[in-house]
Amino acid sequence: MSTTTEQPPPRIDRLDGDVLEGPVPAAGDAPAAPRKAQRRASRSMYQKHAKVYPKAVHGTFRRIKWAALAVLLAIYYVLPWVRWDRGPNAPDQAVLLDLANRRFYLFFVELWPQQIYYLTGALILAALGLFLATSLAGRVWCGYACPQTVWTDLYVWVERLVEGDRGERIRLDQGAWTARKAGRKVLKNLIWLLIALATGGAWIFYFTDAPTLLGEMLRFEVSSTALGFIGLFTATTYLLAGFAREQVCTYMCPWPRFQSAMIDEDSLIVTYQDWRGEGRSLLRKSQSWEERRAEGLGDCIDCFNCVQVCPAGIDIRDGLQMQCIGCGLCIDACDEIMTKVGRPTGLIRFDTQTSQVAVATGGQPVPFRLLRPRTILYTLMMLVIAGGIGVGLLLKPGLDISVLRDRAPLFVALSDGSVRNAYTFKISNMTRDPRAYTLAVSGVTGASLSVAGDGQDEQAGTQRLTADPDMVATYRIFVTAPRTGLQGASQPLTFRLTSADGEVATYDSVFMGPAN
């Protein structure tokens, strides 16, 4: 009589899901060291990146994204060519960051280096605006206005135009290299490079006069510095929008890590109505919705359209995730499917957590609350900062001075017993006209002024100075005071400069002398 021994089922490794051939070792048996070592070697500490192939979608949010893309790209490419008349001997480019001459021009605003605090205020205002937008509608900035999103959208559109929609692109990438495949890849990358070159060139136009630089480019006379920056911005645009794409948002951008602190239960975010959609199951042709309900199934037919259109490749049905940029394309995709199968739209929608909880528990949807403590606070802060910047620009002086006292030597004792200090005195004439000024000092008894190489009376209490339009005039000023008028080794000294039209600028310094 023969007997058969039933083989035990294959052992499943619970960590990585590998099927290991052979029986399960009995208790007390020595572990299979080579097999364990092989399994450990096959494991990777990092998940391999899976390329995302966004599918084309049509709907409200896709149209909004197209409109935002068109408007933002138009502003970016056209703005350097807008002219603004500032008078003679002044650049007429509306927006110009003139680093060579240390001037920032923004339409009617002209900023000098010492007025960099306006730029600080503008950055704070932009940050608060981003906080406010996020608290209202989640990552609406990331989904519609972020440069990475805008240029990635443009690049994906070109890719879809050349290589086809999602399925065709996947088959093209997985297929063997043929002349057709190579031709499409070359054409796509050529268009990408042209867009990147236009982007890098347009960015340089913001830092120099656009028509002048364009003429130099056409004559092949552009400087190596300009070429270097054009090449830099061309390369970064090509790589980030063409290849990095959603990885920039997930791994390089810090904003996804902050979004949870910016939103609350009343913020509008992209949500999946799980109370309505679960459980998921494919819709059979012979199956009615009443039968699905009887089987405990929901409206979600598990078509994965929401995943296929997502530029980040995530499944919004798993809840709010760091990678979600809040673009709403999954809403368009789901609404299209719900319309086809005869179910109400809005299975995926912009909604608040408060409203979701209310509806899921049998209540009525909660209206969106625009006014909340954090939105009010952000708005008030923005109004205060914007108001401060506006008032500062309206009252922005046309005159500024800076004074630097010589430190070697600290002072000079003259033969008549008086003490002299030397100062480097700079006048910033921020107007388009030449100006004359009167300089005086106060704080030291009996102090007199003189200007090196000027030939004016050294004993005068005031001196006449001039400055050319939109220039910085530099003078070497000597302040002389009798030793009897000094009250210590260091004494406060104030410079007062008055223009012919009555504008006044002051600067506080010190006058050094021997210790009594």
Side-chain angles (χ1 to χ4, degrees), residues 30-332:
R35 185 175 296 162
K36 283 191 173 182
Q38 181 182 6
R39 189 168 66 246
R40 282 195 296 267
S42 67
R43 296 172 188 157
S44 174
M45 297 298 293
Y46 302 96
Q47 182 179 4
K48 184 179 179 180
H49 171 66
K51 184 177 179 180
V52 178
Y53 296 86
K55 180 182 177 181
V57 64
H58 306 282
T60 301
F61 296 102
R62 179 64 268 181
R63 288 192 293 270
I64 295 175
K65 280 179 69 66
W66 284 133
L69 182 146
V71 170
L72 293 173
L73 288 180
I75 292 174
Y76 176 78
Y77 288 115
V78 173
L79 195 55
W81 302 95
V82 178
R83 304 292 99 182
W84 189 270
D85 185 13
R86 297 185 178 89
N89 303 319
D92 63 348
Q93 188 163 311
V95 178
L96 178 62
L97 310 178
D98 191 356
L99 298 180
N101 297 308
R102 294 178 294 179
R103 301 286 190 279
F104 283 7
Y105 300 97
L106 182 63
F107 295 97
F108 62 90
V109 177
E110 178 182 344
L111 298 180
W112 285 50
Q114 57 266 42
Q115 296 170 334
I116 194 67
Y117 48 83
Y118 286 111
L119 179 59
T120 303
L123 292 176
I124 295 175
L125 192 63
L128 289 173
L130 184 57
F131 296 164
L132 177 62
T134 305
S135 64
L136 289 174
R139 293 179 64 183
V140 63
W141 160 265
C142 301
Y144 294 90
C146 175
Q148 175 65 21
T149 296
V150 171
W151 265 269
T152 297
D153 255 4
L154 180 61
Y155 271 49
V156 171
W157 175 77
V158 170
E159 185 177 61
R160 187 179 297 121
L161 190 67
V162 175
E163 298 182 355
D165 205 357
R166 182 176 187 271
E168 191 173 355
R169 296 202 306 275
I170 293 175
R171 289 191 295 272
L172 186 69
D173 284 354
Q174 293 178 349
W177 278 96
T178 62
R180 175 177 173 274
K181 178 176 179 178
R184 289 193 176 191
K185 293 294 182 181
V186 169
L187 178 59
K188 177 188 72 174
N189 282 273
L190 180 60
I191 298 175
W192 280 1
L193 283 171
L194 290 176
I195 295 173
L197 183 61
T199 302
W203 181 248
I204 296 300
F205 288 154
Y206 284 91
F207 295 88
T208 187
D209 184 65
T212 302
L213 180 58
L214 181 60
E216 293 176 352
M217 290 179 178
L218 295 177
R219 295 190 302 270
F220 300 99
E221 298 175 355
V222 64
S223 67
S224 58
T225 302
L227 281 177
F229 278 102
I230 291 174
L232 174 64
F233 292 119
T234 298
T236 53
T237 303
Y238 176 69
L239 293 174
L240 296 183
F243 299 95
R245 295 186 180 178
E246 78 286 348
Q247 297 178 78
V248 175
C249 306
T250 303
Y251 301 111
M252 296 175 61
C253 180
W255 189 243
R257 280 82 181 166
F258 300 154
Q259 65 168 334
S260 59
M262 297 293 106
I263 63 176
D264 57 22
E265 62 276 3
D266 292 309
S267 300
L268 280 174
I269 56 176
V270 181
T271 58
Y272 166 64
Q273 314 293 306
D274 55 359
W275 56 269
R276 172 187 159 189
E278 300 297 314
R280 310 173 202 168
S281 175
L282 295 176
L283 179 63
R284 300 191 302 272
K285 289 185 178 181
S286 60
Q287 185 181 39
S288 67
W289 287 102
E290 290 74 14
E291 292 173 341
R292 284 181 63 90
R293 290 288 181 269
E295 296 174 11
L297 301 178
D299 284 358
C300 180
I301 62 173
D302 214 16
C303 63
F304 280 93
N305 262 25
C306 57
V307 180
Q308 294 171 359
V309 303
C310 178
I314 64 171
D315 191 341
I316 193 61
R317 297 173 297 178
D318 294 336
L320 182 63
Q321 297 155 68
M322 181 185 69
Q323 298 92 331
C324 178
I325 61 174
C327 62
L329 296 184
C330 54
I331 300 177
D332 288 339

Side-chain angles (χ1 to χ4, degrees), residues 351-471:
D351 203 357
T352 65
Q353 183 180 354
T354 300
S355 182
Q356 271 210 309
V357 171
V359 175
T361 54
Q364 295 296 320
V366 178
F368 174 61
R369 292 176 56 207
L370 180 64
L371 298 180
R372 311 193 302 274
R374 68 172 62 201
T375 61
I376 295 174
L377 178 61
Y378 290 149
T379 303
L380 290 178
M381 293 173 68
M382 290 178 64
L383 290 175
V384 170
I385 295 175
I389 293 175
V391 171
L393 291 175
L394 289 175
L395 303 178
K396 187 167 70 74
L399 171 64
D400 188 65
I401 61 176
S402 65
V403 181
L404 181 64
R405 186 180 58 81
D406 284 5
R407 297 181 180 274
L410 292 176
F411 62 90
V412 175
L414 304 180
S415 58
D416 61 358
S418 59
V419 178
R420 171 177 289 175
N421 281 200
Y423 302 84
T424 299
F425 192 87
K426 293 186 177 183
I427 304 173
S428 299
N429 178 14
M430 303 179 189
T431 68
R432 299 297 174 187
D433 303 309
R435 293 294 176 94
Y437 306 94
T438 301
L439 177 64
V441 293
S442 61
V444 177
T445 304
S448 60
L449 290 168
S450 62
V451 180
D454 187 79
Q456 299 185 46
D457 183 7
E458 290 192 5
Q459 304 301 319
T462 60
Q463 290 289 329
R464 296 183 301 277
L465 306 177
T466 61
D468 292 332
D470 195 36
M471 294 293 291

